Amino acid sequence: MPSEQSASGLSRRDISEFMGHGSVGHQSMQGFDADYTDIVDYIVRCTHKIWEDKAIGLIYTHYAHNTPVHLTDAELYGREQMVAGTLRTLAAYPDLRLYGDEVIWSGNDVDGFHTSHRVMWSGHNTGYSVYGPPTGARIQRREIAHCIVINNRILEEWSVQDETALIRQLGLDEVALAKALALAEADSGRQPYASGLGEVPRSRGQLHPPISLDGDPANPAELPGLLYGLVWDARMLNFLGEYYAPDAVVWVPGNRRLEGHGDLTAYVLQLLGAFSDGAMQLEHVDWIGSEAEGYKVAARWTFQGTHDGPGTYGAPTGKRVRVLGISHFELQGGRVVREYMVWNEFALLKQLHWPK
């Protein structure tokens, strides 16, 4: 088992504890603004300042001038794109609130921090958005942002959102909207996100993925690699019963709640049935906690596959897709008791309906 990592997880403190200024530092934060006491405080409070206080200009002091921001369907570059995107979002949802649910992190102020920040968006659509005129609907959606931070600035960010949940709450048809936006983006000269990719990286030449892997699923650093390698890539779905508690709860896009091995197995089968060559590539893992209190694990991943089977996404299109995702796991007694799997299902729909 790994050594215990002490961390001030957001779930252990009320938000009011992050809002004070001039607090005595809890962690070495050289190069950061003096009012940030630790890296969790930095992530939560700068998010609050920019989005809820609407101090949007703080993006200039909290992001590097050339920060890349990776989305499933876009690559943003630099602070001006961040400022423009924030302005447009707040114009559409001016009362937007971002409720912090968890920050899972690693690193230090010398080498840099990795942070994985899960939030719940809440607001009303009273302004124009990329989806059209305001509907007045109240929306809630999950988002997870993975950031690399040093010297008070975010150097790189990966952001995933449950966009399908938002679109449904607006009262819109996600398939019709995906077709319209895909056509508009293609007409503007954009290329589909999965264009130009080679073979799906699941097999090595003529060899099949390994159906057994060394490792301890109770080890928070090893669980994601075992889960994606055995269950998703090798199709050994029997391991779901080993890795997840019988009453585990898993949240997936569309704000859908799965409970127990049956629901989870059906969900994995649904995706792999539609993308029979689908493969998961693990990109980064962070964790906090201890064996006694339980672990919280953040895993950033990419799913690739070819839409060659029927399912909830309609008749097979033969389109190659690629989606970015981040999962937050809660482990107790060596098993997953809760997972928040966040990825942009609407971005996948746009790839499936991209004009030929």
Side-chain angles (χ1 to χ4, degrees), residues 1-206:
M1 291 296 295
S3 60
E4 296 183 356
Q5 177 172 338
S6 176
S8 299
L10 178 58
S11 61
R12 299 179 182 86
R13 287 195 278 171
D14 186 82
I15 189 67
S16 62
E17 296 184 40
F18 296 101
M19 307 316 297
H21 291 262
S23 303
V24 176
H26 302 148
Q27 180 180 43
S28 177
M29 296 287 286
Q30 292 189 33
F32 286 78
D33 289 350
D35 60 337
Y36 294 128
T37 61
D38 56 37
I39 190 58
V40 176
D41 178 39
Y42 169 86
I43 287 295
V44 172
R45 203 138 51 79
C46 76
T47 300
H48 177 91
K49 291 175 182 177
I50 291 169
W51 287 97
E52 297 192 32
D53 289 346
K54 298 181 177 56
I56 300 166
L58 290 181
I59 290 172
Y60 294 117
T61 60
H62 287 69
Y63 283 80
H65 74 283
N66 57 351
T67 295
V69 178
H70 311 285
L71 312 172
T72 286
D73 57 352
E75 294 284 332
L76 307 182
Y77 185 79
R79 293 183 292 219
E80 291 302 338
Q81 285 194 316
M82 288 291 296
V83 169
T86 304
L87 287 168
R88 294 186 187 115
T89 300
L90 286 173
Y93 311 95
D95 65 344
L96 188 66
R97 300 288 302 275
L98 272 66
Y99 295 97
D101 288 331
E102 187 62 81
V103 179
I104 300 171
W105 65 275
S106 65
N108 55 61
D109 58 348
V110 176
D111 304 310
F113 294 99
H114 282 263
T115 65
S116 191
H117 183 198
R118 189 177 79 243
V119 300
M120 177 67 82
W121 284 39
S122 181
H124 293 81
N125 177 217
T126 58
Y128 282 81
S129 72
V130 66
Y131 312 121
T135 68
R138 182 174 183 266
I139 59 94
Q140 288 187 315
R141 75 168 191 188
R142 282 190 178 85
E143 175 178 343
I144 302 179
H146 175 181
C147 297
I148 298 176
V149 189
I150 194 167
N151 292 328
N152 207 71
R153 282 182 164 81
I154 295 170
L155 304 184
E156 191 165 8
E157 181 174 335
W158 293 260
S159 180
V160 293
Q161 306 88 24
D162 186 356
E163 195 171 2
T164 300
L166 183 152
I167 289 167
R168 290 175 181 172
Q169 290 168 61
L170 293 177
L172 304 175
D173 182 327
E174 67 261 31
V175 173
L177 186 60
K179 292 178 179 178
L181 290 182
L183 180 60
E185 292 175 16
D187 286 344
S188 72
R190 288 184 59 180
Q191 296 296 313
Y193 188 71
S195 66
L197 297 177
E199 183 180 359
V200 175
R202 189 171 79 87
S203 303
R204 297 181 179 179
Q206 300 180 48

Side-chain angles (χ1 to χ4, degrees), residues 118 120 140-144 161-166 168-169 228 232 244 248-260 263-271 280 301 312-313 325-329 338-346:
R118 189 177 79 243
M120 177 67 82
Q140 288 187 315
R141 75 168 191 188
R142 282 190 178 85
E143 175 178 343
I144 302 179
Q161 306 88 24
D162 186 356
E163 195 171 2
T164 300
L166 183 152
R168 290 175 181 172
Q169 290 168 61
Y228 300 143
W232 288 89
Y244 288 82
V249 173
V250 180
W251 292 94
V252 296
N255 202 26
R256 286 171 286 172
R257 184 182 190 269
L258 312 179
E259 185 168 351
D263 284 358
L264 181 56
T265 300
Y267 181 74
V268 176
L269 286 170
Q270 168 195 307
L271 283 174
M280 292 284 253
W301 47 266
T312 58
Y313 304 121
I326 301 175
S327 290
H328 279 188
F329 301 93
R338 190 174 296 269
E339 178 185 355
Y340 300 89
M341 180 192 294
V342 183
W343 56 277
N344 194 331
E345 192 175 47
F346 183 69

